[in-house]
Amino acid sequence: MTNTPKRATVDDAQLVSHILALAFDDDPMMRWFFPDASTREAGLGRYFTTLFTRQYAHHGVCERTEAAVAFWVPPEGQAKTVPDAETVEELQNVLGDRATLFREAVGTAAEHTPTEPHWHLAVIGADPAAQGQGHGAALLRSGLAQADTAGLPAYLESSKPSNLPFYEHFGFTVSAEVRLPGGGPPLWAMRREPRPTAGT
């Protein structure tokens, strides 16, 4: 199973959403949005399919391996990845009675997003069966190389404490611990300054 990153296109939507549904099954925020374990995988699949096919595949830098997926958003795509009315409606259908919590959480998290140009790691996840095989690391390195080439910082949010050391290994530091409204899990905002690339 190769962990070499390649571009993910809309044609990969089924694979992308399946990998991410497995990857985020134990994520505290996603468990908050999808509390019913019996329907969580299906709900996550629909959620990630919507985000990928309507937003990130068109305005982000989406890459995948055989077992992991990452959605990066460079500065020029950030305004375009804000959900339009149709996408919002689709997400509300997927989230059901958790849609209000989702909207409030997204709004609160957005308050901590850097205001200067940056590369935003919107989503990264690996199939748990393939964790430890370098899939997530390969995708993280690929996106960070592009941010470094542009001379821009990178930013992400994580609600899974065990992931923080992984991101710190790649140069991210916690910039804020965000308390979500409605009793949601804590969310850590993380930032990484650009590093010089060869020839700069």
Side-chain angles (χ1 to χ4, degrees):
M1 188 180 282
T2 176
N3 61 14
T4 303
K6 61 182 179 180
R7 185 166 174 253
T9 69
V10 172
D11 292 339
D12 299 317
Q14 190 173 348
L15 175 66
V16 162
S17 61
H18 177 67
I19 289 171
L20 292 176
L22 296 174
F24 280 87
D25 179 71
D26 67 345
D27 182 84
M29 181 177 277
M30 290 304 164
R31 287 194 163 196
W32 186 49
F33 292 150
F34 298 95
D36 186 344
S38 66
T39 60
R40 186 179 300 127
E41 186 176 334
L44 285 169
R46 290 175 60 208
Y47 170 80
F48 285 116
T49 296
T50 300
L51 289 178
F52 178 60
T53 59
R54 294 193 59 84
Q55 292 177 249
Y56 294 112
H58 305 288
H59 306 296
V61 176
C62 301
E63 294 186 324
R64 69 173 182 85
T65 67
E66 300 296 315
V69 176
F71 302 162
W72 290 87
V73 187
E76 61 272 17
Q78 285 165 12
K80 296 171 187 169
T81 53
V82 175
D84 58 24
E86 224 173 294
T87 304
V88 168
E89 188 178 341
E90 211 169 306
L91 288 172
Q92 285 177 334
N93 290 337
V94 172
L95 289 152
D97 61 3
R98 312 297 279 184
T100 300
L101 288 175
F102 173 77
R103 276 197 311 276
E104 291 173 350
V106 168
T108 300
E111 294 169 12
H112 297 271
T113 303
T115 53
E116 81 271 33
H118 65 281
W119 275 60
H120 182 193
L121 178 57
V123 175
I124 188 169
D127 182 338
Q131 280 181 353
Q133 296 175 19
H135 291 269
L139 292 173
L140 198 51
R141 281 192 199 94
S142 178
L144 290 174
Q146 295 174 79
D148 287 344
T149 297
L152 294 174
Y155 174 80
L156 62 83
E157 293 134 1
S158 179
S159 67
K160 195 171 178 181
S162 60
N163 281 348
L164 303 186
F166 173 73
Y167 295 128
E168 287 168 346
H169 175 75
F170 287 91
F172 284 90
T173 56
V174 173
S175 56
E177 184 174 332
V178 182
R179 289 286 164 184
L180 297 176
L187 188 68
W188 288 274
M190 303 189 78
R191 179 188 171 100
R192 176 189 179 273
E193 296 304 323
R195 295 179 177 176
T197 56
T200 60

